[in-house]
Amino acid sequence: MSDEQLTPALARSRLREALSWRSGTGTVISTVLLAALGFAAAIQIAAPDDVLDRASRADLIQILDGLGTRAESLEEEVTRLEEARAELIAGAGDSEAAQAEAEDRLNTLGILAGTLPALGPGVELGVSDPGGVVDGSSMLSTIQELRDAGAEAMQVSGAPERQVRVVASTAFTDSATGEVVVGGVSLGPPYTITAVGDPATLSKALGIPGGAVATMESAGASVSIRESDELVVDALHQPTEPSYARPAVPEDADAVG
Amino acid sequence: MIPVIGLVIGIVLGVALNVSVPTSLEPYLPIAVVAALDALLGAGRATLEGVFDDRVFVVSFVSNVLLATLIVFLGNQLGVGAQLTTAVIVVLGIRIFTNAAAMRRLLLGA
């Protein structure tokens, strides 16, 4: 092996000689073997790299353990998420009901506050007042009687083509020119009061002797009462944001229904 | 020269044909390749030393591959396949380095 006569030049010439075009049985077999080597190396390198192939048995057991643990925890998570999903579905039903309730409440309050148009049976009170005897207080008395009789939504209309929704804060005053000022809007005769409520009760309340209607009639105004199955109260009240009052949050807010 | 061309053709075929390694051969093919590489480098060294012989090369090539595969197979049967694979790779790797170093000294004188 450690041949001292070997020089790099000699080695190179031998290499050149080896790489020359020689043929023979040995060459053929060597060629086949080398082709097989190249082929095997190439497909081995091209083969998809699988970590598991090279893992030892202990590693594989550890990996399997890890997978088992992970599968368990994933299954737990699936259970947890399914429970959460069921809860959410149930909760969605609850919140739908709550929303429907809130919408109902909104409609009720809107009608009460005069921010929504109202529709329903009721009475229409026509007051023609050629003599100008109807003033704010008689109008207010009429409205009070209607309220007492259970009117749920009311509006007052008068010349010229104005109508005012009557809400809790609506004031009835007199203007200097003799008109009735309802909620800040001057109305002139003839007046029409539209009230949604039970028509029979309302007309009966208005017909009480000595009541507001009788007083107006005795003063010289003529009043007509018409019961109707379908009246529209579509004048809207613009609520103002309260400057001082703010909601007192009750401790059991949920119980306030 | 012709064997070198054979090697190139083998590599090209292996890349081009996109053959997947049979499962039964999977643990042995890498070892066989390394054993063959060892035989190849041994042949290269023998060539430079002027003692190369076709017959010796073929026999050493085949026996190297078979022996390495056999050892790994035995190891797998005994349950120490991974360790024996490592052992074979280490031994063959040392031989490859030795042969490569010898060839380097012969060719470059350093």
Side-chain angles (χ1 to χ4, degrees), chain B residues 16-100:
Chain B
L17 289 184
N18 196 17
V19 185
S20 63
V21 187
T23 317
S24 53
L25 281 184
E26 230 168 58
Y28 310 114
L29 193 60
I31 298 294
V33 168
V34 175
L37 273 180
D38 173 47
L40 187 59
L41 280 169
R45 179 180 178 177
T47 304
L48 296 186
E49 286 171 347
V51 294
F52 177 76
D53 183 73
D54 284 346
R55 224 165 56 87
V56 173
F57 170 63
V58 169
V59 170
S60 81
F61 188 104
V62 174
S63 68
N64 245 8
V65 168
L66 286 182
L67 187 61
T69 309
L70 195 67
I71 290 175
V72 175
F73 173 76
L74 198 62
N76 277 343
Q77 299 305 311
L78 293 175
V80 287
Q83 288 88 331
L84 267 186
T85 304
T86 310
V88 169
I89 293 286
V90 167
V91 171
L92 290 177
I94 290 171
R95 283 173 52 103
I96 287 172
F97 266 98
T98 313
N99 281 334

Side-chain angles (χ1 to χ4, degrees), chain A residues 77-88:
Chain A
E77 198 177 339
V78 165
T79 317
R80 204 167 46 73
L81 288 176
E82 271 175 2
E83 275 169 17
R85 182 170 167 272
E87 264 174 38
L88 283 176

Side-chain angles (χ1 to χ4, degrees), chain A residues 106-179:
Chain A
L106 188 64
N107 286 334
T108 310
L109 292 176
I111 289 171
L112 283 178
T115 54
L116 286 178
L119 181 81
V123 295
E124 205 172 52
L125 203 67
V127 181
S128 63
D129 180 24
V133 296
V134 174
D135 60 0
S137 72
S138 55
M139 188 81 83
L140 178 60
S141 307
T142 315
I143 294 291
Q144 282 301 14
E145 278 179 10
L146 286 168
R147 268 189 189 138
D148 291 344
E152 288 165 355
M154 284 181 280
Q155 71 180 24
V156 180
S157 49
E161 295 283 318
R162 287 171 178 158
Q163 42 195 8
V164 181
R165 183 71 169 261
V166 179
V167 295
S169 60
T170 307
F172 292 80
T173 52
D174 301 314
S175 74
T177 56
E179 286 180 317

